[in-house]
Amino acid sequence: MRPKVQNILPMKIKTTSKTIFFSALFLCAACNDPAHNPNEYESVFLQKEDKKATFVTKSKPKKIILMIGDGMGLTHITAGSIAKKSPLALEKFRHIGLVKTHSTKLITDSAAGATAMATGQKTYNGAIAMDEKQNKLKTIVEIAEENDWATGIITSTHVTHATPACFFSHQAERRNVNEAVALEFLSTNIEVLMGGGWKYFNNRADGRDLLAEAEKKGYFIADNMDKFEDYIPKKTICLISPELPERYKVRGDFLPKATQKSIEILNKNSNFFVMIEGGQIDWGGHGKNSEYIIEEMLDFDRAVAKALAFAEKDGNTLVVVTADHETGGYSINGGDLKTGEVQGAFTSDYHTATMVPIFAYGVGAESFTGVYDNTEIFFKLKYLMGL
Ligand SMILES: [Zn+2]
């Protein structure tokens, strides 16, 4: 029997803790659509300090793969699908939403965008996991580590770049902090770090060799994915380039391979959280370059395919794919479905304020339907992790 409206209105339970739970069991609270089977899953409203409730399901994944296409708007995905001439891995997702990306300014940068997702707070552009008053904000990766979840950070840019840095380090200003971010990494217990930027670890102003220090702490150090062969280390740092990795044409299949290997490594633990960034889709947008966008988009989609294949087999995994913002005010004004040609047009060489899509698959995926702020992603993930 469908509950009466007054019975399903949220009831305040507790006000002492930072997070207050509102309960609305056995109702599809996301859509309130009577056509939706209300018994499909249990859901709750999670009320936060800002009094905004966010919708989550009660099913808890043991493993979470958060994938961020930097600058990946709807048009970037569309361009990828036209060029590929066959469905993207992203098209397999059934739970989809839209995310408002603004920082404390209308148009976010990657640092504030990643900080919102990693910590649940809007902040100023340029902040690496710090609030407006430059207080450090605890990140989802730090919370996971404190609770014995294994964690990983993977990117096709350098690992000290804004998006990955916001998940494990704290800096007031993103510029010129590569060496400081690398040093912060060394005091974490993050199991897997893959991307570019070795010179920030071993060619530093302070003369330290952080890779040698990490090796002493038990990290397997590699400079390309082939170094692993079949080896599954407990902890690893794999940095494929001195600074920024080359674009896809030159760097090849690093991102899908790193996705696969990082999951194999982290899956030795009963719980894991990994953030995987397709970092150069954004650069194609900044360069107003459709070809660059498409190459990076398809590379990222192949990484998504690896994550999905794991999640399908595993059954305890949640995969969430989204973007920090749109880049380029990208549009498609012509092209050819048969040849896969895309005639792109751009309104900007910077980010725009347009909403970005979010896709979810697996345990808890329903939580990501709807239209909401990027900060909600943090609260949804934290709740679903049971932390
Ligand atoms: Zn950008």
Side-chain angles (χ1 to χ4, degrees):
M1 203 188 83
R2 191 178 302 281
K4 286 179 189 159
V5 169
Q6 57 265 39
N7 294 339
I8 53 93
L9 280 174
M11 262 181 48
K12 204 167 180 179
I13 295 168
K14 211 173 160 217
T15 54
T16 48
S17 70
K18 204 174 171 189
T19 317
I20 306 161
F21 296 97
F22 279 27
S23 153
L25 304 186
F26 299 109
L27 176 86
C28 179
C31 56
N32 262 324
D33 178 355
H36 200 128
N37 176 5
N39 294 320
E40 210 172 81
Y41 49 84
E42 271 192 303
S43 64
V44 296
F45 278 108
L46 191 62
Q47 174 135 332
K48 312 181 305 296
E49 270 180 342
D50 63 6
K51 302 283 190 286
K52 276 204 272 182
T54 196
F55 164 73
V56 284
T57 66
K58 291 184 106 181
S59 24
K60 301 272 199 296
K62 290 185 166 173
K63 303 151 195 186
I64 295 181
I65 303 170
L66 172 64
M67 307 188 74
I68 300 174
D70 200 309
M72 183 184 73
L74 206 47
T75 311
H76 304 64
I77 298 167
T78 313
S81 81
I82 294 169
K84 193 184 172 200
K85 295 188 277 181
S86 61
L88 298 171
L90 274 177
E91 293 175 48
K92 288 190 178 170
F93 287 75
R94 289 292 169 266
H95 294 95
I96 296 162
L98 291 171
V99 176
K100 299 173 187 177
T101 65
H102 69 87
S103 58
T104 50
K105 289 250 169 64
L106 174 64
I107 294 177
T108 190
D109 79 327
S110 291
T115 297
M117 291 187 268
T119 73
Q121 289 214 36
K122 301 269 188 188
T123 187
Y124 59 94
N125 291 347
I128 307 271
M130 282 203 179
D131 70 12
E132 278 193 280
K133 292 178 179 153
Q134 303 194 343
N135 298 306
K136 291 182 181 181
L137 296 168
K138 193 171 270 190
T139 75
I140 192 87
V141 166
E142 290 169 316
I143 294 167
E145 280 291 335
E146 280 172 10
N147 289 280
D148 294 322
W149 283 52
T151 59
I153 303 282
I154 318 298
T155 178
S156 55
T157 66
H158 53 99
V159 295
T160 54
H161 199 252
T163 306
C166 287
F167 283 82
F168 66 86
S169 70
H170 307 273
Q171 297 289 334
E173 171 51 53
R174 65 184 282 181
R175 267 171 283 276
N176 304 317
V177 293
N178 287 303
E179 292 187 8
V181 170
L183 189 58
E184 281 193 78
F185 178 83
L186 214 67
S187 56
T188 72
N189 289 312
I190 295 167
E191 278 79 0
V192 181
L193 183 69
M194 294 178 176
W198 73 55
K199 82 167 205 189
Y200 307 122
F201 289 76
N202 65 6
N203 188 6
R204 301 166 50 86
D206 63 11
R208 287 172 70 172
D209 181 346
L210 302 185
L211 293 180
E213 291 180 37
E215 197 166 20
K216 277 188 197 138
K217 286 179 73 180
Y219 282 90
F220 176 72
I221 309 294
D223 61 4
N224 71 71
M225 294 311 299
D226 297 334
K227 291 277 163 70
F228 291 91
E229 295 179 347
D230 294 333
Y231 182 47
I232 300 178
K234 275 183 107 164
K235 300 198 286 185
T236 186
I237 300 175
C238 176
L239 303 176
I240 61 168
S241 56
E243 299 173 60
L244 294 162
E246 299 284 354
R247 60 188 275 184
Y248 170 75
K249 265 188 209 167
V250 182
R251 77 170 184 271
D253 282 337
F254 163 73
L255 193 63
K257 281 182 180 164
T259 299
Q260 178 72 36
K261 182 56 84 175
S262 66
I263 291 170
E264 284 169 17
I265 294 168
L266 293 169
N267 198 34
K268 294 279 168 198
N269 304 275
S270 44
N271 297 95
F272 73 75
F273 174 92
V274 61
M275 191 290 294
I276 300 170
E277 186 201 22
Q280 295 197 30
I281 301 166
D282 179 56
W283 301 5
H286 284 288
K288 299 184 171 184
N289 183 335
S290 274
E291 188 197 334
Y292 194 168
I293 288 172
I294 288 164
E295 280 170 21
E296 296 296 335
M297 183 63 228
L298 294 181
D299 179 55
F300 182 60
D301 192 63
R302 285 188 287 272
V304 171
K306 299 281 187 198
L308 263 188
F310 170 77
E312 277 169 4
K313 240 168 64 188
D314 181 69
N316 280 312
T317 299
L318 167 69
V319 182
V320 177
V321 186
T322 189
D324 49 357
H325 52 74
E326 195 273 351
T327 305
Y330 188 31
S331 184
I332 299 168
N333 295 350
D336 190 324
L337 282 171
K338 274 201 192 106
T339 62
E341 183 208 351
V342 172
Q343 286 167 11
F346 298 84
T347 63
S348 168
D349 63 0
Y350 192 62
H351 311 158
T352 69
T354 192
M355 288 193 276
V356 293
I358 186 164
F359 303 82
Y361 175 89
V363 182
E366 299 89 347
S367 310
F368 294 88
T369 56
V371 180
Y372 46 89
D373 270 302
N374 51 5
T375 44
E376 307 290 299
I377 296 168
F378 167 83
F379 293 105
K380 290 176 194 293
L381 290 173
K382 187 166 165 278
Y383 175 83
L384 291 171
M385 291 165 88
L387 304 177

